[in-house]
Amino acid sequence: MQTITLNSPFDMHLHLRDNEMLELVAPLSSSTFAGAIIMPNLVPPVDTKEAVLEYKDRILRAIGNDQFSPFMTLFFKPYSKEFLESVKDSISAIKLYPAGITTNSEGGVESIDTVALAPTLNAMSELNIPLCIHGETNGFVMDREKEFMSVYESLAIAFPKLKIIMEHITTKDAVRMLDKYDNLYATITLHHLLITLDDVAGGMLKPHLFCKPIAKRYEDREALQKVALEAHPKVMFGSDSAPHPKHAKENCGCAAGVFTSPIALQVLAEFFDKNNKIENLQKFISNNACKIYNMKPSSKIIVLEKKEFKVPSYYEKGDEKVVPIYANETIQWNIRNYNGK
Ligand code: NCD
Ligand code: ZN
């Protein structure tokens, strides 16, 4: 049987939520991933050192004995250098949301002004703290990421030593930026490699595929696929797995977010295999991220095998139910074991 062995797969953009949802979804990442960058968009947002440390503790409790490192982030606000020095060792990055652009981002930045934000961004550059950005304007939904490119450019130029990560890129315009500025990097999700707007809204409306940024055109997907499959050194996998309760998705007024973490590795293996690029998956899923974030791989070994697997219709714990991408469908790859067992 065809297999692939991955060393320390990392998910560089993950929503684990809190309370019962955290307890439901955290083990679905920690069983297969070696670690993840944890998004701070809780209510209220994670914006103090205490909140970071307490949230990390709750995550560690939720994953039990799994070998999994939660790499914590702070919700971007104007922070003083003293504060950043004090919190630096407890975080891996700071996440900037334009105000109101997505789930729980109301406390984000109203206007991304390089002069107004300079004290915080200069301090982050000096302290080597990466800046992760949800790069969308509040323009027409299909143009929001494209319109944000000028903001990325002005930040990349004004703060050349700041590592800027364009999160969950969805357009060919964002792919182009990667080679234009040394300090721009990107995460790419599973779903944006696989779907276009046609899958979301071209036939029956598919709430479980609705997310921010919305899936785009075929040529955009092609540009993302190309840099992922070649494991471009400035891109890394970030699932943006964003669970919402089943009732909040299957609702008029559907919450944005696609839940992918339990089958992300399996479907990535299928995608890289189909495109004859399986040898590049290790870089996309781990090595590139280790270089970009200066992390050491742990020694978590995951073996995947080419064997059919039927995706559950939902996962549940207590009163929480969450529906994964490809619910009830059969995928071609499965997890064999952990750490060689
Ligand atoms: C995310 C969420 O639900 O927290 N939703 C999404 O559609 N991706 C937030 C985000 O990353 O935009
Ligand atoms: Zn996200």
Side-chain angles (χ1 to χ4, degrees), residues 149-164:
M149 291 303 125
S150 59
V151 181
Y152 280 132
E153 296 212 65
S154 56
L155 289 169
I157 292 167
F159 306 98
K161 297 230 164 71
L162 180 66
K163 246 177 209 179
I164 300 170

Side-chain angles (χ1 to χ4, degrees), residues 98-103 105 112 133-152 166-174 210-217 220 256:
I101 207 69
T102 189
T103 312
S105 62
I112 302 180
I133 303 187
H134 183 117
E136 290 195 284
T137 66
N138 53 15
F140 175 63
V141 68
M142 287 296 276
D143 294 338
R144 288 177 186 178
E145 184 173 293
K146 186 186 168 81
E147 287 175 1
F148 199 85
M149 291 303 125
S150 59
V151 181
Y152 280 132
M166 302 185 285
E167 294 295 331
H168 43 53
I169 58 170
T170 60
T171 55
K172 61 181 190 317
D173 310 271
F210 171 65
C211 67
K212 305 278 178 74
I214 192 97
K216 303 290 188 314
R217 299 173 176 80
D220 294 308

Side-chain angles (χ1 to χ4, degrees), residues 2 45 57 63 81 97 156 165 198 208 252 269 283 306 313:
Q2 197 183 341
D57 273 352
I63 63 175
K81 188 163 183 200
Y97 294 91
I165 295 144
D198 268 354
H208 295 292
C252 73
K283 285 190 203 140
K306 196 168 185 176
S313 38

Side-chain angles (χ1 to χ4, degrees), residues 145-146 149 152 166-181 184-189 192-193 216-230 232-235 284:
E145 184 173 293
K146 186 186 168 81
M149 291 303 125
Y152 280 132
M166 302 185 285
E167 294 295 331
H168 43 53
I169 58 170
T170 60
T171 55
K172 61 181 190 317
D173 310 271
V175 169
R176 227 179 279 130
M177 297 293 281
L178 283 171
D179 295 321
K180 204 164 165 196
Y181 296 97
L184 289 185
Y185 303 83
T187 54
I188 299 182
T189 73
H192 292 119
L193 286 174
K216 303 290 188 314
R217 299 173 176 80
Y218 290 86
E219 64 261 33
D220 294 308
R221 183 177 65 174
E222 203 175 306
L224 299 175
Q225 290 178 341
K226 181 169 180 294
V227 281
L229 288 167
E230 75 187 22
H232 186 298
K234 294 176 92 183
V235 306
F284 180 61

